[in-house]
Amino acid sequence: MTRRVLAHLAVSFSPTSGGRTMATFLRAALLAGEARESWILTTNFRMEYDLIFREWAERVDLPASVSLRNFFEDLADEPVYRNDDVRRFTPPRDAVRRGPRRWVEHVDEGHEVVYRTRDDRSLHRRDVRRSGQVVESEFFDHGGRLRLRNTVEDGTVVRRDYLADGARVYATLHVDEDGGRALRVEGGPFDTAGEVVPEGTLFRRWLASFGEAGDRVVFFVEDRNFDRYLLRNELLDSRHRVVVPIHSTHLLPPYDDPHRVKPYNGNALGRMDSHAATVVLTEEQARDVREHYDESGLRVIPHPVRPAWFWRAQGRQDQRVVVATRLVGLKRVDHMIRAMARVVVDHPAAELHVWGAGPELPGLRELARDLGIADRVVFEGHTSDVPAALRSGAVGLSASESEGFGLSVIDAMSAGVPVVSYAYKYGPSDLITPGRDGFLVPDGDVEAMAERVSWLLSHPLRRRLMGFRARFVQVRFRPAAIRRRWRRLLHDVDATPPAGRPTSSSADGARPGRSVP
């Protein structure tokens, strides 16, 4: 009898990763009971993956049957992410302290070694400098074990050694002049016998190695950058199946033409015959996909609400507007700040509280200063407790250029907070009933957003009623209902022939006469 194993290919994640990582962990938690074993897969090297995984697991109450599986740890064939023990760094006797966590050791003329430590006083990094330039960098885990060594030429890493316990080099990465990456692996199940092998070739071998005899591995390809390693991997056992969740829009800006498809998602959608199932998050996106692709087997399965979310109004601030998002251009936090500049004219006590981190932060701070509302916009930084953050507000905002679903919208509504959102694709129109549990305003209309926020702040009783109605997304998107939809999909996937669905009528999967830009 075939046993099912689930593999969620997240590629990489960090403590501050956004909606796609959250969605991956939520699905892994939701489906943990549907398989003998479940993995969240990552392919990059990150020194503290064990700690980061543990933090994410706690956020979503991830069952113990779901574990992290990492490409480099499998290359080493032994644990390389171990940070439970802490070894405090003792600097060399002649090293000079140059900051709270930095020591410099002078070796000879033009030659020095720089040591950097973490907050727990463990050694994090050791740089060798010659004539002021870094020529070698070494990275250590919390226990003082050397894990990574970079060889640097003219500011560029040209070689990277990965080390296991005992300072054994188990893999060496070579980067050519064009940025091509290749690995030589020494020992373990992926030994390359002294050859330098393209990194992508090893990715394919690694993925094809999953599962024991009698297992059916269902791969959820969360990152489109890995489509080429799974959708056309001739090494995969015929028992295994590939499911492609689409997390974001598949359209090109301005997102209003279903026949203008961007390659990032379009490459997977145009090859739906190469995998067992394709999943989008909203009915609106499914309609646009079917408008362009001749595909009747597309599935719509939205995200569930977070299981631990319950509405608590304690501590809610009646003049606080809230948002939790990454501070990147796609999220258009600048539009929210501009809307807030209009809101405070009628509501001088109103404040915008923004939780999140990202490269746009300096520019957003400057914008708030330029608009004269620096004291009305509070940047709270990253939080791992989004529920508590959003529960503190009276009104939520969403102004993205596009989304796959709008996790921030459902998060706020689950917390009993009505949301004013641009009517972007995709998500808000599937979640918000205008005038009942929030408002949709024309995409990009800052003035309309400001007017709706002001109206909500001016009508506290209506706002609280709308917040009460908003929390019913907890019923519409309850985990049990979403789990049943995934169960049906997995049942159908098990019955799907190895080659996937029949080939579409055209080479790229689009309807005849259509083209994918």
Side-chain angles (χ1 to χ4, degrees), residues 271-313:
R271 293 166 175 79
M272 285 190 260
D273 61 312
S274 69
H275 44 277
T278 305
V279 181
V280 294
L281 294 160
T282 67
E283 294 291 348
E284 184 184 12
Q285 186 169 20
R287 288 193 296 271
D288 284 348
V289 169
R290 293 186 180 113
E291 177 72 19
H292 184 72
Y293 297 100
D294 188 12
E295 176 52 54
S296 59
L298 190 71
R299 303 296 185 97
V300 179
I301 306 179
H303 293 315
V305 295
R306 306 192 195 191
W309 280 41
F310 299 99
W311 188 51
R312 304 175 201 160

Side-chain angles (χ1 to χ4, degrees), residues 341-364:
R342 293 163 168 79
V343 170
V344 298
V345 173
D346 296 324
H347 299 273
E351 292 183 339
L352 174 64
H353 286 246
V354 181
W355 282 266
E360 297 287 314
L361 178 59
L364 295 173

Side-chain angles (χ1 to χ4, degrees), residues 16 100 160 219 250 278 327 344 377 394 438 453 473:
T16 59
R160 177 169 292 163
F219 291 94
H250 63 289
T278 305
L327 304 185
V344 298
V377 181
V453 172
V473 296

